[in-house]
Amino acid sequence: MPFRSSALIWFRSSTCATLLAMMAACSSAPQSSAPSASSPTAAPQSPAKPTESPTAAPQSIPQLSPESPKSDAASDAKPSGSKATRTVEKCVIRMAKVNDPESPLNVRSSPNASSQILGQLPNGTFVDVENEQDGWFKITGEKPGWIAKSRTENNCGEKVERIEFAGGQDNIEIRDRFIGTGSHTYSFNLSKGQTLTVTRDRQVFPRIVAPDGKDLVEYREDRKSWTGEVAATGDYAVIFESNFKGYEYGVSVEAR
């Protein structure tokens, strides 16, 4: 069967040629290189988002300057800010001056606004005060009775005040006023050998009294200042007195 053998030979030859052509075509095509599993290709990074808070600048280390030595004046400085303790031990109103915004001032039979009116006093009248009760003064004189305290000028007639100097403090200002007659005493403790200075800045100069009750200096109301060393430890006092219709006064007291 020569025809069948030739056909079979042709079929096998054409098949082999086709396979060879396909293999040649595969070998000539460009091969894509697969990424290596061990070194994956990194995806492109987007720019970093700036933080909301500013970046702190690098801090410089402060250079310490050598400490300057303290001066003797600074080391011996006395503490500041302290105040003397002042205690009024006695305050008695002896006189008052009528000062009524609805003058004249009514003098009443008892200490209340509904009591009988006994008389009236014009502004500027000085009255002697005998007693005080519930905001009313009991007055004596030509028109005795009761007047409203709030409608007068008044102040301690008899006053005793105790002064305690604070630590580091050696001076104090004393100011007040008299309405009418009276006496104001300011006492404080001094040690033997201390120097006391009293300086007037208005009206009259006070008496300066030692612990034994004697004046340290002859009294003269027009004196401007006095300085002296105290001879004993104890309570000293400056005393103001008024025998007239009153006055304002002021002094500074210094003890070193």
Side-chain angles (χ1 to χ4, degrees):
M1 300 189 38
F3 176 75
R4 293 180 63 180
S5 299
S6 299
L8 181 61
I9 292 171
W10 176 86
F11 176 76
R12 288 179 178 177
S13 299
S14 61
T15 302
C16 290
T18 301
L19 290 173
L20 290 172
M22 292 177 62
M23 292 177 64
C26 289
S27 60
S28 63
Q31 296 182 2
S32 60
S33 58
S36 172
S38 59
S39 59
T41 302
Q45 295 184 358
S46 59
K49 182 180 179 180
T51 58
E52 294 181 0
S53 58
T55 304
Q59 297 182 355
S60 60
I61 300 176
Q63 299 296 321
L64 299 179
S65 58
E67 183 177 355
S68 57
K70 297 180 179 179
S71 64
D72 293 339
S75 60
D76 293 339
K78 296 180 180 180
S80 61
S82 299
K83 293 184 177 180
T85 300
R86 302 178 63 164
T87 305
V88 177
E89 299 177 342
K90 179 182 179 181
C91 175
V92 180
I93 298 175
R94 298 296 188 193
M95 294 188 72
K97 183 179 180 180
V98 176
N99 185 15
D100 190 347
E102 300 175 339
S103 181
L105 176 62
N106 293 326
V107 181
R108 296 185 177 273
S109 60
S110 58
N112 62 75
S114 59
S115 61
Q116 179 184 0
I117 297 176
L118 303 179
Q120 293 181 321
L121 297 171
N123 283 346
T125 303
F126 285 86
V127 294
D128 293 317
V129 177
E130 182 180 284
N131 194 13
E132 180 180 350
Q133 179 180 329
D134 300 329
W136 291 78
F137 284 146
K138 185 177 182 180
I139 62 173
T140 59
E142 295 181 3
K143 297 180 180 179
W146 293 85
I147 62 174
K149 177 181 178 180
S150 61
R151 295 176 181 263
T152 68
E153 295 179 24
N154 57 82
N155 196 14
C156 302
E158 300 295 330
K159 181 172 79 167
V160 176
E161 183 174 316
R162 178 75 182 180
I163 298 173
E164 297 288 346
F165 288 106
Q169 185 183 29
D170 53 20
N171 65 81
I172 190 171
E173 299 289 331
I174 298 175
R175 297 177 184 275
D176 206 341
R177 64 179 298 200
F178 285 103
I179 295 178
T181 60
S183 175
H184 292 178
T185 300
Y186 300 87
S187 63
F188 44 87
N189 188 270
L190 297 178
S191 297
K192 179 180 178 179
Q194 282 190 277
T195 299
L196 174 65
T197 301
V198 179
T199 304
R200 170 178 62 89
D201 62 11
R202 66 174 60 183
Q203 295 294 335
V204 303
F205 193 83
R207 292 176 56 210
I208 305 174
V209 180
D212 60 4
K214 296 181 179 180
D215 287 358
L216 283 181
V217 59
E218 180 183 359
Y219 177 71
R220 197 175 71 238
E221 67 177 26
D222 62 347
R223 188 188 299 274
K224 178 62 178 177
S225 182
W226 176 85
T227 299
E229 182 178 303
V230 300
T233 298
D235 286 344
Y236 291 77
V238 292
I239 301 175
F240 295 89
E241 295 177 336
S242 174
N243 296 319
F244 308 102
K245 297 298 182 181
Y247 60 88
E248 294 183 356
Y249 60 81
V251 296
S252 64
V253 177
E254 180 179 320
R256 294 187 180 275

